[in-house]
Amino acid sequence: MSFSTDSRAISQAIVATHGLRFGTNMPAAISAGRFSSDEPVYRGAKQACTALGFIEIDAECLARAWQAQTVRTGAFDANQWPETPADFGMRAFPPTERADAFAPCPQQLGLYAVLPDAQWVGRMARAGVPTVQLRFKSDDAAATEREVHSAVDAVLGTGALLFINDHWQTAIAAGAYGVHLGQEDLDALAPEQVQQIRDAGLRLGVSTHGYAEMVRADAVSPSYIAMGAVYPTTLKKMATAPQGVARLAAYARLLRGYPQVGIGGIDAVRLPEVLATGVGSVAVVRALVAAEDPEATAAQWMASIAAAT
């Protein structure tokens, strides 16, 4: 039977070609949940992507991209994992040329330190860390406002780029460089609120955990996209399994044109294989805050990143 009409053969071909790369060689007979099309390539690809361990929304996203790729090229090719933005329904790349693009940030954000308070922000900024994020957790609005303003003051004269996690209105008022939003936080914003951040000139970073979330993030043309969790992490409960470096590399190829940040469970031993995927930045939380000598640890990480990029 030809691949163009036999979804089972398509599914088996994709798993046989990509199974080892994504950590499985399961037969592609696994259930794929529901189908939204009768096209054989779509159905076969969704079965295969489910067998390869992708969650439902990502398997659906990939299957539609594989179908679009087949239509665009005129033939199904099991070797060609989808990585063309248009096949995922994304707009023209590079995103910086779009009319609604957020203000740009450096393509290589380097070591990206996620820090619990303004004191740590200042300490790592003075240590030369190029990108820092204040992730201050408090239900006290006044305390949050003080911490954000203190963090903005703490990076003055250091050259560090400061992103504020979640508190975008306070970030605007304090004059921060940018704001970082999780997927749920971004989804909760009304279009006019997203535009308010854009109009203020803040850079926007967005967390993603797979293909469907990357497509949603791309819809607002952010300044950078973070991808993870690459490895298991105990810092927060994740709705998705660790992505691994094979998926991270595929994500990086799809999102080329965006500054990219790998995050989640990355340590000094794993750093080289993460950087080998092509991401220009690695975000760390505990690696610095829990280090015996945070400044020396930061210097070692920055040297490794500089050598790789």
Side-chain angles (χ1 to χ4, degrees), residues 104-227:
C105 61
Q107 193 70 25
Q108 309 286 334
L109 286 165
L111 180 61
Y112 189 140
V114 180
L115 302 161
D117 56 41
Q119 183 177 357
W120 268 106
V121 165
R123 182 175 178 179
M124 290 297 94
R126 290 189 297 274
V129 175
T131 311
V132 291
Q133 180 189 130
L134 173 67
R135 185 187 283 175
F136 182 69
K137 300 297 183 182
S138 174
D139 294 327
D140 185 335
T144 298
E145 185 174 353
R146 285 195 302 271
E147 208 68 27
V148 170
H149 280 269
S150 294
V152 170
D153 291 340
V155 300
L156 290 176
T158 66
L161 308 179
L162 171 65
F163 289 86
I164 305 299
N165 184 271
D166 291 348
H167 306 292
W168 61 272
Q169 290 162 311
T170 308
I172 291 174
Y177 178 81
V179 63
H180 181 91
L181 297 177
Q183 192 79 198
E184 300 82 5
D185 302 304
L186 177 62
D187 289 345
L189 294 184
E192 55 269 24
Q193 292 175 308
V194 175
Q195 188 61 41
Q196 189 178 345
I197 301 172
R198 190 183 283 116
D199 290 343
L202 267 69
R203 284 75 177 169
L204 172 66
V206 181
S207 294
T208 65
H209 308 91
Y211 281 103
E213 291 191 357
M214 288 189 290
V215 171
R216 290 213 302 272
D218 173 72
V220 301
S221 305
S223 306
Y224 74 81
I225 292 181
M227 303 172 289

